Amino acid sequence: MRETEDLDELYRDVVLDHYRSPRNSEPLESPDAEGEAINPFCGDEVRVQLSLVDGLIDGVSITGVGCSISQASASLMGEAVKGKNLPETLAIVKAFRALMQGRSRSDDDAGGEIDLGELMALEGVKRYPVRIKCSLLGWNALEDALKVIAAV
Ligand code: ZN
């Protein structure tokens, strides 16, 4: 896809930094849960591995290929959930989905109390519906992995 100047807002420094230097990109040797998601539109793929210690996400691995939004969002996501417990992680997922859906941060139930930190750099994506799928791809993979954990 050709990127135009209109998309400049999508490519804030933090997004480009995570795209060029993805965090937690080493596969885990013995993950407790894994999830995968693909976006046929861009050919984006994200795989998430998690390991838990005492109910906290101790190890995160984010691997994949695809457009800058999909890969940067997944990298930022990994940093955001590291060290969190399951309810905290689910709250972050909910808050990020609400952000992408353009819901007011003060809406009830939109996770407005959650500090999304660097993930806020992706806020501009919500104006580009096609790219929202890219941005949420890693989060779909994460939710798959969380279902495995919740079921254990
Ligand atoms: Zn994409």
Side-chain angles (χ1 to χ4, degrees):
M1 175 183 293
R2 198 174 77 88
E3 311 294 359
T4 69
E5 286 176 25
D6 289 348
L7 295 175
D8 277 355
E9 183 187 354
L10 293 182
Y11 300 105
R12 311 240 315 239
D13 287 347
V14 62
V15 174
L16 286 172
D17 180 49
H18 276 260
Y19 174 56
R20 289 172 181 148
S21 310
R23 315 299 198 269
N24 307 302
S25 58
E26 291 294 317
L28 301 182
E29 278 183 24
S30 51
D32 293 304
E34 298 184 349
E36 267 185 312
I38 60 166
N39 175 9
F41 184 83
C42 283
D44 304 330
E45 298 179 17
V46 175
R47 182 176 192 195
V48 174
Q49 295 180 314
L50 303 175
S51 64
L52 279 91
V53 173
D54 296 334
L56 301 179
I57 295 178
D58 182 62
V60 181
S61 166
I62 311 283
T63 52
V65 293
C67 72
S68 53
I69 297 296
S70 66
Q71 303 306 310
S73 182
S75 175
L76 283 157
M77 174 189 79
E79 290 285 273
V81 303
K82 210 171 184 179
K84 303 291 196 296
N85 65 26
L86 192 56
E88 287 167 340
T89 302
L90 291 170
I92 292 168
V93 172
K94 195 171 175 182
F96 187 73
R97 286 192 179 281
L99 179 72
M100 287 297 106
Q101 288 159 4
R103 292 168 62 186
S104 162
R105 305 274 290 140
S106 58
D107 280 356
D108 286 349
D109 207 34
E113 74 282 8
I114 303 292
D115 178 9
L116 285 171
E118 286 196 319
L119 285 164
M120 292 303 293
L122 290 158
E123 188 176 18
V125 173
K126 71 186 179 193
R127 292 175 41 226
Y128 303 89
V130 167
R131 309 314 295 278
I132 292 173
K133 285 200 176 78
C134 302
S135 183
L136 288 174
L137 192 70
W139 299 78
N140 294 337
L142 173 67
E143 283 189 313
D144 269 6
L146 292 174
K147 279 178 200 155
V148 174
I149 290 170
V152 168

